[in-house]
Amino acid sequence: MIVLKISNSSEVVASKVGKFLEFLTPDAVDQSAVEDQVIKKLIENLAAEGIKGEIAAVRGLDLDGQELSLHDGLKVRKHEAF
């Protein structure tokens, strides 16, 4: 299993839509938008290599160095098989 933590969602959104519009969107929306784009591109690239599997965006899971923490309200926000 691979865990990917995106730590600069706001900066990515700001670079794509501008600082002003990024300021108006909540960080949770930025995080979800970037995660959705990463998932889309990962699926495209992995499928092109013939790799099959599943990918999920999960809320309530945190990666901090060597520690993986589970929080209340653990929820799969998005799930796709490829």
Side-chain angles (χ1 to χ4, degrees), residues 2-26:
I2 298 170
V3 176
L4 172 67
K5 177 181 179 181
I6 300 169
S7 57
N8 67 336
S9 298
S10 293
E11 291 88 359
V12 171
V13 171
S15 73
K16 301 291 182 189
V17 299
K19 279 285 188 192
F20 178 71
L21 289 177
E22 189 278 328
F23 178 74
L24 297 176
T25 61

Side-chain angles (χ1 to χ4, degrees), residues 29-62:
V29 172
D30 294 348
Q31 184 75 22
S32 295
V34 171
E35 286 175 352
D36 290 347
Q37 284 300 313
V38 168
I39 287 171
K40 179 182 174 187
K41 291 297 185 181
L42 278 172
I43 289 172
E44 289 173 5
N45 291 320
L46 293 171
E49 295 294 328
I51 298 172
K52 294 181 182 180
E54 298 176 51
I55 191 166
V58 180
R59 293 277 182 249
L61 182 68
D62 193 31

